[in-house]
Amino acid sequence: MSTCSVSKGCFVFKPSTKKRRLSDKTAHDFRCTSSDSEDTELRFVTCQSLWNQIKSETEQIQENLNKQLLDNLVSFLSRSHSDFQEKTTEWTCRMKFREIPTAALVLGVNVTDHDLTFRGLSDVLQDNITPYVALLEAKDCPGIKNLMQKLMGQLMKCDIDVDSLEDEDCVQVSQSRIRCSMPSLISWYDSVTKKTNSETPSKKRNSSSRHWQSPPVVVIFKDMESFTTKVLQDFIVISSQHIHELPLVLIFGIATSPMIIHRLLPHSVSSLLCIELFQSLSCKEHLSTIIDKLLLTSQFPFKLGEKVLQVLINIFLYHDFSVQNFIKGFQLCIVEHFYSQPLSVLCCHLADIKKRVYSLSHDQCENIRRLPSFRRYVERQESGKQIELLTNDSFLKEETEKLLEDLHVYHENYVRILRCLHVFTSSLPKYPLGKQIRELHCACLENRVWETEEYESALQLARMLNKTDLVTMLQQCVEILMSSSGKEFDRAVEKLKEFLTQFQNLEEASQERHVSVSPQKELQKKTDLYHLQKTLLELKESRRSKKLTKFEMLRFEVVDYIDSLVRRYLVPADERTLHEIVYFNGAAVLRGHLNAAPRTALHTALNSPHWYLKNQALRCDGGGISNKAPDICIVYKLHLECGRLINLVDWLEAFSTVVMAAEEPNADAASSDQVDDVIHARFIRAVSELELLGFIKPSKQKTDHVARLTWGGC
């Protein structure tokens, strides 16, 4: 591209606004870089289709979770300016007009999820209430002037409607020609509302069906804690003076606590706000819903292994509390599984399994035979069937189809019994198997849960439940098992209903009480030490020989039956044949992508530059230093050989020795002096880079020394 400018300079040419299609290129990259090129196109299509389904499901979940919050905000906006629309002149309303309606929206510390909430809020407001919504961030508003420019810029852009662009008399006003002030904003609002009221009846009817007649101006501060106090104070004070002319509504996005409003604003400013508090759903509850809808379901064939799921949950709990990052990590697991596992082509819905199994090639059949779970399955079979499985591809495909169908049935049964077990264990004291169902799910994936001490402790506590809680839990289990589409749990449902009937038919335990005086009442009488000891021994013997009541016997039967269901259906996934096809277990790969280790990566890059540069000429065995390595790598290796303080002169001489190792010894003096200057400059630059990275710092003890900061330094 050329420019007609006479002066020299740097010119920016913006790319075209046409949307680029990336799907073909992505598929090409997926196909070319895959280790197994067979069926990569089908794997890519399956991966893309599965992620699109999961993405739409997560969006629907988040919309349902935020629906109550958005409805409350819409109701607040409808109440805030009802008097402004009616133009009342009462004294109380005029006093209320001096206060700015403000919604304090507490969203939690998961800041990365706030953008999605604010986008949904902005869309709801623009669709139903007002087209004038502005989202402000602290980084764009260092001063009141910048805030007003950003505010008016966003509001004037939403003034131009798609239908109004066809009008000939529509002239877009440039923001640079308008003085960004509150009077300018008020005059613009008056002109826009008058123009809307003077439209033709058909256009007015369409606009009134979506927006109010005098729509408010909603200003959303996405990160209130990051705004400077002076900017907020100035804007609130200025806005309160014109609130009777401009229907303004403020929404504060708060990550910490509502008390931040009173910490940032003095009483003289906060008294100008009519604040109402709104609380969003907890991020932990949000995560539990996501896991429940995406992982604990048979709707999606892809599953996460125990270690992979634990990595994602640990990142969520100990790093950012971000549900969006959890979903992105889940997406990375899907891509990595379909990219690295050639048999992931069979990770599909049950209706497509038969077609894909019978289209497998001989190489893919060999991949199935090499799976560890399938090899264990073959070892358990008879010798004749073993030969067929290892030599006959057609027989192998038939057996693979049956095994994949059994794996699908296992998932359905696993989820049902897992929920039933969670009903019993989620209310136990100290939660031996966890309070959340995700904790119980990880415990069942890790090993046989009935062999753990926590499970035994949970059973002991379950055998002490009272009748009311036990009946309620059984009713919930019946509802969970009846929601199953198959007939697998018909016998279990009948058994649980039989337990409920027996509980209802139990008689009161008071009929079995003895009329004789009990040892407890004997203790209440005055007696000597001999009779007291005798009575205590009788009480101890009576407790030992006490027979169980009908309720206690029935309670034991219920707990034992639930235990039998757990032992039958909650077998760990890695004990199922062909689990590698649908389960992703690459926890180390996922941790390498998501859990950044900058110190390790930096040490590897400086100590072994060939690892990242892919140049074997830079490799040195035995701890040597190559003179072909980058200067900073040479300086870094030399500094590892020094103590707490490093002499710069000695460091320079060592650096020069390494660099000049390949030079000819018979070079002339002039050229050697010139090379020394160049080497000196290279050394200074490398040391400066090492200081910038934080490995060394200037020392106050000696002028010509630097101090180490890492690996044993001060």
Side-chain angles (χ1 to χ4, degrees), residues 672-682:
S672 64
D673 293 340
Q674 185 178 1
V675 169
D676 289 341
D677 294 338
V678 174
I679 292 176
H680 195 185
R682 289 166 57 184

Side-chain angles (χ1 to χ4, degrees), residues 215-229:
V217 177
V218 181
V219 182
I220 302 176
F221 294 86
K222 297 175 66 174
D223 47 350
M224 183 192 176
E225 290 94 341
S226 302
F227 279 86
T228 59
T229 305

